[in-house]
Amino acid sequence: MTGQTGRRFSSVWPIWAWIMVAFGFVVTGIGVFGGVFARSLVLDLISFWPGLILVMLVAAALYPFHRGEWTRLAAVVPLLILSWLGSTIALHLAEWSVLPSAAADFAGPSADGIEQASLTIVTGGDLSIGFSGAASLYEVKTVRRGGSVPAARSFERIDGRSAQVVIDQRPPDTWFLTRGWRVVLNDDASWSLDLNAAAIAADFSGGGLSSLRLVGTGDVHLSEPSGDVQVVVDGRFGLSLPAGVAMVVTGDDVSVPAGWTGADGEWQSPGAGEGYMVTVTSGASLVVKDA
């Protein structure tokens, strides 16, 4: 009996491997229900069920070699399960487009021929927005982090060379709740943007703006304008202004870099020519920084 017991527990590797598997699933569950991961991670794990069949086949192939004894070879199965779990989470966070979690992502129509576009976004979550050379007019992705914000939906109207787009929240569901959205805009069109979100992170360098309205809080990097651009700030924002670009700011709670001129609620940058005309609404605040 003593010799048999010694052979059965000849290695602690399988024990530690199964402990790691249990710990991995517990941490994943806490991450999902605690809001670290999006709930759609559960759908991605379910979609990878063929990986568990492979693990079972490997377990069946290895069984004759260890015959149920706790040798190092018996640790292969739990380590494969742990690899399956880790790789699925990694692909989920990498936003692999074929996973079920990508079902809430979408793209707009082709940007060919569209010169002027207006976009209104309303969300109670985080918003990341910027420009790219994508062929579509815009792209929307859900951030793969836990939250209470439903997936996005869009309403479009295309009229010749102009487009009007409204993006807001779908009705809440069980799986596609997230921290916010990531929006990418085509950089060929000139955009009039009305953005309303809890937190906005915007990088407009490389694209063109015809007007901008900001509601909420956040930081915005502006581009060099091709004409006068009207900007309305309703919230707490920071604007990063490229060197040499003209800007005039009107408002009560405003902080500007050294070298600006003005007083009594109106400030002007050293830059000359066409630029940004910024109005800070009552109760809002703005910090202008050099980019």
Side-chain angles (χ1 to χ4, degrees), residues 233-253:
V233 174
D234 187 1
R236 301 178 63 86
F237 284 91
L239 295 181
S240 295
L241 184 68
V245 173
M247 175 180 281
V248 176
V249 180
T250 303
D252 296 327
D253 190 355

Side-chain angles (χ1 to χ4, degrees), residues 36-62:
V36 177
F37 298 126
R39 295 182 184 178
S40 57
L41 173 59
V42 177
L43 302 179
D44 293 346
L45 289 171
I46 294 174
S47 71
F48 267 68
W49 65 266
L52 294 179
I53 294 180
L54 177 61
V55 172
M56 294 174 62
L57 293 175
V58 172
L62 292 178

Side-chain angles (χ1 to χ4, degrees), residues 13-81:
W13 281 45
I15 298 175
W16 282 110
W18 281 112
I19 290 175
M20 291 171 63
V21 169
F23 181 76
F25 276 100
V26 169
V27 170
T28 302
I30 293 174
V32 171
F33 292 103
V36 177
F37 298 126
R39 295 182 184 178
S40 57
L41 173 59
V42 177
L43 302 179
D44 293 346
L45 289 171
I46 294 174
S47 71
F48 267 68
W49 65 266
L52 294 179
I53 294 180
L54 177 61
V55 172
M56 294 174 62
L57 293 175
V58 172
L62 292 178
Y63 183 80
F65 297 96
H66 64 81
R67 297 186 180 278
E69 295 182 0
W70 289 86
T71 64
R72 289 190 177 187
L73 194 60
V76 171
V77 171
L79 290 177
L80 286 175
I81 296 176

Side-chain angles (χ1 to χ4, degrees), residues 111 117-119 121 128-140 165 167 182-193 195 203-209:
S118 67
L119 171 65
I121 297 180
S128 174
I129 185 169
F131 289 104
S132 81
S136 58
L137 186 61
Y138 64 90
E139 296 178 356
V140 181
V165 182
I167 299 176
R182 187 181 302 109
V183 179
V184 178
L185 307 177
N186 179 270
D187 57 7
D188 289 332
S190 178
W191 288 87
S192 173
L193 302 178
L195 309 179
D203 186 355
F204 296 131
S205 56
L209 298 176

Side-chain angles (χ1 to χ4, degrees), residues 64-245:
F65 297 96
H66 64 81
R67 297 186 180 278
E69 295 182 0
W70 289 86
T71 64
R72 289 190 177 187
L73 194 60
V76 171
V77 171
L79 290 177
L80 286 175
I81 296 176
L82 194 63
S83 299
W84 167 83
L85 177 64
S87 60
T88 306
I89 294 175
L91 291 172
H92 170 82
L93 295 177
E95 301 179 0
W96 194 25
S97 60
V98 302
L99 293 175
S101 58
D105 301 340
F106 60 92
S110 171
D112 291 343
I114 297 179
E115 299 177 353
Q116 300 287 333
S118 67
L119 171 65
T120 299
I121 297 180
V122 180
T123 175
D126 297 346
L127 173 64
S128 174
I129 185 169
F131 289 104
S132 81
S136 58
L137 186 61
Y138 64 90
E139 296 178 356
V140 181
K141 290 187 176 183
T142 58
V143 177
R144 305 304 199 267
R145 296 293 186 274
S148 58
V149 179
R153 63 181 178 181
S154 68
F155 304 90
E156 305 164 357
R157 179 181 177 182
I158 309 297
D159 186 10
R161 297 182 180 274
S162 65
Q164 296 82 41
V165 182
V166 176
I167 299 176
D168 64 1
Q169 299 178 170
R170 300 180 189 177
D173 59 20
T174 301
W175 298 111
F176 294 100
L177 296 176
T178 180
R179 185 173 300 175
W181 310 330
R182 187 181 302 109
V183 179
V184 178
L185 307 177
N186 179 270
D187 57 7
D188 289 332
S190 178
W191 288 87
S192 173
L193 302 178
D194 187 343
L195 309 179
N196 187 335
I200 298 174
D203 186 355
F204 296 131
S205 56
L209 298 176
S210 58
S211 68
L212 176 64
R213 180 173 179 263
L214 301 168
V215 180
T217 61
D219 288 290
V220 178
H221 292 262
L222 297 173
S223 61
E224 295 189 9
S226 57
D228 287 332
V229 180
Q230 298 291 329
V231 179
V232 177
V233 174
D234 187 1
R236 301 178 63 86
F237 284 91
L239 295 181
S240 295
L241 184 68
V245 173

